[in-house]
mmCIF file of all heavy atoms in Angstrom:
data_model
loop_
_atom_site.group_PDB
_atom_site.id
_atom_site.type_symbol
_atom_site.label_atom_id
_atom_site.label_comp_id
_atom_site.label_asym_id
_atom_site.label_seq_id
_atom_site.Cartn_x
_atom_site.Cartn_y
_atom_site.Cartn_z
ATOM 1 N N PHE A 257 22.522 113.224 76.474
ATOM 2 C CA PHE A 257 23.291 114.470 76.517
ATOM 3 C C PHE A 257 24.770 114.094 76.693
ATOM 4 O O PHE A 257 25.119 113.409 77.658
ATOM 5 C CB PHE A 257 22.838 115.341 77.684
ATOM 6 C CG PHE A 257 21.388 115.732 77.637
ATOM 7 C CD1 PHE A 257 20.412 114.913 78.185
ATOM 8 C CD2 PHE A 257 21.000 116.917 77.033
ATOM 9 C CE1 PHE A 257 19.083 115.257 78.146
ATOM 10 C CE2 PHE A 257 19.655 117.272 76.993
ATOM 11 C CZ PHE A 257 18.695 116.444 77.542
ATOM 12 N N THR A 258 25.597 114.519 75.778
ATOM 13 C CA THR A 258 27.025 114.212 75.862
ATOM 14 C C THR A 258 27.815 115.510 75.922
ATOM 15 O O THR A 258 27.439 116.522 75.311
ATOM 16 C CB THR A 258 27.493 113.379 74.654
ATOM 17 O OG1 THR A 258 27.335 114.151 73.453
ATOM 18 C CG2 THR A 258 26.696 112.098 74.544
ATOM 19 N N ALA A 259 28.910 115.481 76.669
ATOM 20 C CA ALA A 259 29.761 116.661 76.802
ATOM 21 C C ALA A 259 31.209 116.219 76.951
ATOM 22 O O ALA A 259 31.500 115.203 77.593
ATOM 23 C CB ALA A 259 29.340 117.503 78.006
ATOM 24 N N PHE A 260 32.090 116.986 76.352
ATOM 25 C CA PHE A 260 33.527 116.715 76.434
ATOM 26 C C PHE A 260 34.235 118.042 76.660
ATOM 27 O O PHE A 260 34.064 118.988 75.888
ATOM 28 C CB PHE A 260 34.028 116.057 75.146
ATOM 29 C CG PHE A 260 35.485 115.699 75.178
ATOM 30 C CD1 PHE A 260 35.902 114.447 75.596
ATOM 31 C CD2 PHE A 260 36.441 116.619 74.789
ATOM 32 C CE1 PHE A 260 37.254 114.117 75.632
ATOM 33 C CE2 PHE A 260 37.795 116.304 74.813
ATOM 34 C CZ PHE A 260 38.198 115.053 75.241
ATOM 35 N N VAL A 261 35.022 118.112 77.737
ATOM 36 C CA VAL A 261 35.796 119.322 78.059
ATOM 37 C C VAL A 261 37.248 118.914 78.227
ATOM 38 O O VAL A 261 37.566 118.084 79.096
ATOM 39 C CB VAL A 261 35.285 120.001 79.343
ATOM 40 C CG1 VAL A 261 36.118 121.229 79.654
ATOM 41 C CG2 VAL A 261 33.810 120.373 79.206
ATOM 42 N N GLY A 262 38.126 119.446 77.395
ATOM 43 C CA GLY A 262 39.540 119.093 77.458
ATOM 44 C C GLY A 262 40.423 120.325 77.449
ATOM 45 O O GLY A 262 40.037 121.391 76.951
ATOM 46 N N ASN A 263 41.599 120.184 78.018
ATOM 47 C CA ASN A 263 42.559 121.288 78.074
ATOM 48 C C ASN A 263 43.957 120.759 77.760
ATOM 49 O O ASN A 263 44.411 119.786 78.369
ATOM 50 C CB ASN A 263 42.543 121.945 79.450
ATOM 51 C CG ASN A 263 43.646 122.987 79.615
ATOM 52 O OD1 ASN A 263 44.484 122.864 80.502
ATOM 53 N ND2 ASN A 263 43.674 123.987 78.766
ATOM 54 N N PHE A 264 44.618 121.393 76.793
ATOM 55 C CA PHE A 264 45.995 121.042 76.445
ATOM 56 C C PHE A 264 46.903 122.208 76.799
ATOM 57 O O PHE A 264 46.709 123.330 76.322
ATOM 58 C CB PHE A 264 46.121 120.712 74.959
ATOM 59 C CG PHE A 264 47.499 120.237 74.567
ATOM 60 C CD1 PHE A 264 47.898 118.945 74.857
ATOM 61 C CD2 PHE A 264 48.392 121.093 73.944
ATOM 62 C CE1 PHE A 264 49.171 118.500 74.518
ATOM 63 C CE2 PHE A 264 49.663 120.662 73.598
ATOM 64 C CZ PHE A 264 50.051 119.358 73.885
ATOM 65 N N ILE A 265 47.889 121.961 77.672
ATOM 66 C CA ILE A 265 48.831 122.986 78.102
ATOM 67 C C ILE A 265 50.009 123.012 77.134
ATOM 68 O O ILE A 265 50.744 122.030 77.002
ATOM 69 C CB ILE A 265 49.334 122.721 79.533
ATOM 70 C CG1 ILE A 265 48.174 122.720 80.526
ATOM 71 C CG2 ILE A 265 50.382 123.755 79.936
ATOM 72 C CD1 ILE A 265 47.557 124.065 80.759
ATOM 73 N N LEU A 266 50.199 124.126 76.455
ATOM 74 C CA LEU A 266 51.343 124.291 75.567
ATOM 75 C C LEU A 266 52.583 124.721 76.344
ATOM 76 O O LEU A 266 53.700 124.298 76.038
ATOM 77 C CB LEU A 266 51.028 125.332 74.492
ATOM 78 C CG LEU A 266 49.870 124.987 73.552
ATOM 79 C CD1 LEU A 266 49.496 126.197 72.710
ATOM 80 C CD2 LEU A 266 50.244 123.815 72.666
ATOM 81 N N LYS A 267 52.362 125.563 77.353
ATOM 82 C CA LYS A 267 53.477 126.066 78.146
ATOM 83 C C LYS A 267 52.972 126.523 79.501
ATOM 84 O O LYS A 267 51.910 127.141 79.598
ATOM 85 C CB LYS A 267 54.172 127.237 77.433
ATOM 86 C CG LYS A 267 55.292 127.874 78.235
ATOM 87 C CD LYS A 267 56.106 128.862 77.398
ATOM 88 C CE LYS A 267 55.368 130.118 77.066
ATOM 89 N NZ LYS A 267 56.236 131.117 76.396
ATOM 90 N N GLU A 268 53.702 126.188 80.555
ATOM 91 C CA GLU A 268 53.451 126.727 81.885
ATOM 92 C C GLU A 268 54.804 127.126 82.462
ATOM 93 O O GLU A 268 55.448 126.373 83.189
ATOM 94 C CB GLU A 268 52.743 125.718 82.785
ATOM 95 C CG GLU A 268 52.308 126.317 84.118
ATOM 96 C CD GLU A 268 51.568 125.329 84.986
ATOM 97 O OE1 GLU A 268 50.404 125.039 84.690
ATOM 98 O OE2 GLU A 268 52.179 124.839 85.957
ATOM 99 N N GLU A 269 55.226 128.296 82.098
ATOM 100 C CA GLU A 269 56.588 128.750 82.391
ATOM 101 C C GLU A 269 56.595 129.658 83.622
ATOM 102 O O GLU A 269 55.935 130.697 83.636
ATOM 103 C CB GLU A 269 57.144 129.500 81.181
ATOM 104 C CG GLU A 269 58.596 129.871 81.286
ATOM 105 C CD GLU A 269 59.082 130.554 80.030
ATOM 106 O OE1 GLU A 269 58.847 131.779 79.879
ATOM 107 O OE2 GLU A 269 59.691 129.875 79.183
ATOM 108 N N ALA A 270 57.333 129.245 84.626
ATOM 109 C CA ALA A 270 57.462 130.021 85.865
ATOM 110 C C ALA A 270 58.843 130.644 85.926
ATOM 111 O O ALA A 270 59.851 129.988 85.642
ATOM 112 C CB ALA A 270 57.241 129.128 87.075
ATOM 113 N N ALA A 271 58.869 131.921 86.272
ATOM 114 C CA ALA A 271 60.132 132.646 86.422
ATOM 115 C C ALA A 271 60.190 133.185 87.846
ATOM 116 O O ALA A 271 59.700 134.284 88.115
ATOM 117 C CB ALA A 271 60.231 133.782 85.403
ATOM 118 N N PRO A 272 60.766 132.428 88.792
ATOM 119 C CA PRO A 272 60.795 132.893 90.182
ATOM 120 C C PRO A 272 61.737 134.062 90.419
ATOM 121 O O PRO A 272 61.597 134.766 91.414
ATOM 122 C CB PRO A 272 61.255 131.645 90.951
ATOM 123 C CG PRO A 272 61.988 130.826 89.952
ATOM 124 C CD PRO A 272 61.338 131.085 88.634
ATOM 125 N N LEU A 273 62.702 134.283 89.502
ATOM 126 C CA LEU A 273 63.684 135.349 89.693
ATOM 127 C C LEU A 273 63.835 136.199 88.430
ATOM 128 O O LEU A 273 64.934 136.368 87.902
ATOM 129 C CB LEU A 273 65.051 134.746 90.070
ATOM 130 C CG LEU A 273 65.110 133.951 91.368
ATOM 131 C CD1 LEU A 273 66.442 133.239 91.496
ATOM 132 C CD2 LEU A 273 64.868 134.867 92.561
ATOM 133 N N PRO A 274 62.759 136.781 87.913
ATOM 134 C CA PRO A 274 62.886 137.591 86.700
ATOM 135 C C PRO A 274 63.728 138.836 86.967
ATOM 136 O O PRO A 274 63.552 139.525 87.964
ATOM 137 C CB PRO A 274 61.440 137.965 86.372
ATOM 138 C CG PRO A 274 60.722 137.897 87.685
ATOM 139 C CD PRO A 274 61.383 136.782 88.441
ATOM 140 N N GLY A 275 64.667 139.078 86.058
ATOM 141 C CA GLY A 275 65.541 140.225 86.233
ATOM 142 C C GLY A 275 66.685 139.987 87.186
ATOM 143 O O GLY A 275 67.601 140.807 87.277
ATOM 144 N N VAL A 276 66.650 138.878 87.919
ATOM 145 C CA VAL A 276 67.732 138.535 88.843
ATOM 146 C C VAL A 276 68.554 137.392 88.272
ATOM 147 O O VAL A 276 69.783 137.466 88.184
ATOM 148 C CB VAL A 276 67.179 138.160 90.237
ATOM 149 C CG1 VAL A 276 68.315 137.749 91.175
ATOM 150 C CG2 VAL A 276 66.397 139.326 90.826
ATOM 151 N N ASN A 277 67.867 136.319 87.881
ATOM 152 C CA ASN A 277 68.551 135.178 87.278
ATOM 153 C C ASN A 277 67.560 134.445 86.379
ATOM 154 O O ASN A 277 66.695 133.717 86.854
ATOM 155 C CB ASN A 277 69.097 134.238 88.357
ATOM 156 C CG ASN A 277 70.098 133.243 87.793
ATOM 157 O OD1 ASN A 277 69.821 132.599 86.792
ATOM 158 N ND2 ASN A 277 71.248 133.143 88.427
ATOM 159 N N ASP A 278 67.707 134.638 85.076
ATOM 160 C CA ASP A 278 66.787 134.014 84.127
ATOM 161 C C ASP A 278 66.988 132.509 84.033
ATOM 162 O O ASP A 278 66.121 131.799 83.519
ATOM 163 C CB ASP A 278 66.962 134.646 82.742
ATOM 164 C CG ASP A 278 66.481 136.096 82.706
ATOM 165 O OD1 ASP A 278 65.630 136.447 83.547
ATOM 166 O OD2 ASP A 278 66.958 136.862 81.849
ATOM 167 N N ASP A 279 68.121 132.002 84.507
ATOM 168 C CA ASP A 279 68.352 130.556 84.485
ATOM 169 C C ASP A 279 67.403 129.817 85.418
ATOM 170 O O ASP A 279 67.262 128.592 85.316
ATOM 171 C CB ASP A 279 69.800 130.234 84.869
ATOM 172 C CG ASP A 279 70.787 130.668 83.803
ATOM 173 O OD1 ASP A 279 70.366 130.818 82.635
ATOM 174 O OD2 ASP A 279 71.970 130.875 84.126
ATOM 175 N N ALA A 280 66.773 130.548 86.342
ATOM 176 C CA ALA A 280 65.837 129.911 87.268
ATOM 177 C C ALA A 280 64.478 129.647 86.632
ATOM 178 O O ALA A 280 63.640 128.976 87.216
ATOM 179 C CB ALA A 280 65.658 130.788 88.510
ATOM 180 N N THR A 281 64.236 130.161 85.421
ATOM 181 C CA THR A 281 62.963 129.969 84.742
ATOM 182 C C THR A 281 62.808 128.512 84.305
ATOM 183 O O THR A 281 63.758 127.899 83.822
ATOM 184 C CB THR A 281 62.877 130.889 83.517
ATOM 185 O OG1 THR A 281 63.003 132.262 83.948
ATOM 186 C CG2 THR A 281 61.558 130.724 82.799
ATOM 187 N N TYR A 282 61.620 127.963 84.476
ATOM 188 C CA TYR A 282 61.379 126.571 84.108
ATOM 189 C C TYR A 282 59.955 126.393 83.589
ATOM 190 O O TYR A 282 59.067 127.202 83.872
ATOM 191 C CB TYR A 282 61.628 125.634 85.289
ATOM 192 C CG TYR A 282 60.817 125.957 86.526
ATOM 193 C CD1 TYR A 282 59.563 125.396 86.731
ATOM 194 C CD2 TYR A 282 61.316 126.829 87.501
ATOM 195 C CE1 TYR A 282 58.816 125.691 87.863
ATOM 196 C CE2 TYR A 282 60.577 127.122 88.642
ATOM 197 C CZ TYR A 282 59.331 126.556 88.815
ATOM 198 O OH TYR A 282 58.586 126.853 89.935
ATOM 199 N N ASP A 283 59.760 125.324 82.817
ATOM 200 C CA ASP A 283 58.464 125.004 82.225
ATOM 201 C C ASP A 283 57.923 123.744 82.893
ATOM 202 O O ASP A 283 58.614 122.727 82.965
ATOM 203 C CB ASP A 283 58.617 124.783 80.717
ATOM 204 C CG ASP A 283 57.276 124.673 80.003
ATOM 205 O OD1 ASP A 283 56.230 124.633 80.689
ATOM 206 O OD2 ASP A 283 57.274 124.626 78.765
ATOM 207 N N CYS A 284 56.683 123.792 83.377
ATOM 208 C CA CYS A 284 56.085 122.662 84.090
ATOM 209 C C CYS A 284 55.212 121.779 83.209
ATOM 210 O O CYS A 284 54.724 120.745 83.683
ATOM 211 C CB CYS A 284 55.235 123.174 85.260
ATOM 212 S SG CYS A 284 56.195 123.667 86.714
ATOM 213 N N ALA A 285 54.982 122.140 81.960
ATOM 214 C CA ALA A 285 54.055 121.379 81.121
ATOM 215 C C ALA A 285 54.513 119.935 80.969
ATOM 216 O O ALA A 285 55.602 119.658 80.467
ATOM 217 C CB ALA A 285 53.922 122.035 79.759
ATOM 218 N N GLY A 286 53.683 119.012 81.423
ATOM 219 C CA GLY A 286 53.959 117.592 81.270
ATOM 220 C C GLY A 286 54.986 117.036 82.228
ATOM 221 O O GLY A 286 55.475 115.919 82.015
ATOM 222 N N ARG A 287 55.294 117.737 83.314
ATOM 223 C CA ARG A 287 56.368 117.313 84.211
ATOM 224 C C ARG A 287 55.895 117.211 85.649
ATOM 225 O O ARG A 287 54.972 117.907 86.076
ATOM 226 C CB ARG A 287 57.542 118.293 84.149
ATOM 227 C CG ARG A 287 58.200 118.392 82.786
ATOM 228 C CD ARG A 287 59.347 119.383 82.810
ATOM 229 N NE ARG A 287 60.012 119.456 81.503
ATOM 230 C CZ ARG A 287 61.054 120.235 81.247
ATOM 231 N NH1 ARG A 287 61.550 121.001 82.200
ATOM 232 N NH2 ARG A 287 61.594 120.232 80.045
ATOM 233 N N ILE A 288 56.573 116.319 86.381
ATOM 234 C CA ILE A 288 56.431 116.268 87.830
ATOM 235 C C ILE A 288 57.818 116.360 88.436
ATOM 236 O O ILE A 288 58.766 115.704 87.993
ATOM 237 C CB ILE A 288 55.713 114.986 88.308
ATOM 238 C CG1 ILE A 288 55.513 115.034 89.830
ATOM 239 C CG2 ILE A 288 56.435 113.725 87.871
ATOM 240 C CD1 ILE A 288 54.629 113.924 90.362
ATOM 241 N N ASN A 289 57.957 117.223 89.426
ATOM 242 C CA ASN A 289 59.185 117.389 90.203
ATOM 243 C C ASN A 289 58.791 118.184 91.439
ATOM 244 O O ASN A 289 57.610 118.521 91.607
ATOM 245 C CB ASN A 289 60.287 118.065 89.372
ATOM 246 C CG ASN A 289 59.867 119.406 88.799
ATOM 247 O OD1 ASN A 289 59.430 120.289 89.535
ATOM 248 N ND2 ASN A 289 59.997 119.561 87.482
ATOM 249 N N PRO A 290 59.701 118.502 92.352
ATOM 250 C CA PRO A 290 59.289 119.224 93.564
ATOM 251 C C PRO A 290 58.597 120.554 93.316
ATOM 252 O O PRO A 290 57.911 121.070 94.192
ATOM 253 C CB PRO A 290 60.615 119.413 94.306
ATOM 254 C CG PRO A 290 61.436 118.241 93.901
ATOM 255 C CD PRO A 290 61.093 118.018 92.454
ATOM 256 N N SER A 291 58.734 121.132 92.103
ATOM 257 C CA SER A 291 58.115 122.423 91.798
ATOM 258 C C SER A 291 56.965 122.325 90.806
ATOM 259 O O SER A 291 56.279 123.325 90.582
ATOM 260 C CB SER A 291 59.164 123.397 91.237
ATOM 261 O OG SER A 291 60.213 123.619 92.149
ATOM 262 N N CYS A 292 56.744 121.174 90.200
ATOM 263 C CA CYS A 292 55.783 121.050 89.097
ATOM 264 C C CYS A 292 54.884 119.836 89.265
ATOM 265 O O CYS A 292 55.303 118.813 89.813
ATOM 266 C CB CYS A 292 56.509 120.911 87.756
ATOM 267 S SG CYS A 292 57.539 122.313 87.272
ATOM 268 N N GLN A 293 53.681 119.973 88.713
ATOM 269 C CA GLN A 293 52.776 118.835 88.557
ATOM 270 C C GLN A 293 51.667 119.256 87.611
ATOM 271 O O GLN A 293 50.565 119.593 88.020
ATOM 272 C CB GLN A 293 52.200 118.389 89.898
ATOM 273 C CG GLN A 293 51.378 117.104 89.795
ATOM 274 C CD GLN A 293 50.382 116.959 90.913
ATOM 275 O OE1 GLN A 293 50.719 117.151 92.073
ATOM 276 N NE2 GLN A 293 49.137 116.632 90.581
ATOM 277 N N THR A 294 51.963 119.267 86.304
ATOM 278 C CA THR A 294 51.035 119.777 85.315
ATOM 279 C C THR A 294 50.938 118.832 84.128
ATOM 280 O O THR A 294 51.824 118.819 83.269
ATOM 281 C CB THR A 294 51.472 121.174 84.813
ATOM 282 O OG1 THR A 294 51.619 122.062 85.918
ATOM 283 C CG2 THR A 294 50.451 121.746 83.844
#
Side-chain angles (χ1 to χ4, degrees):
F257 300 87
T258 64
F260 182 92
V261 179
N263 173 239
F264 185 77
I265 300 290
L266 298 170
K267 176 170 71 173
E268 187 178 286
E269 187 178 81
L273 298 171
V276 178
N277 194 310
D278 292 336
D279 291 338
T281 301
Y282 56 90
D283 190 353
C284 282
R287 298 180 178 181
I288 184 171
N289 56 54
S291 300
C292 298
Q293 187 203 313
T294 305

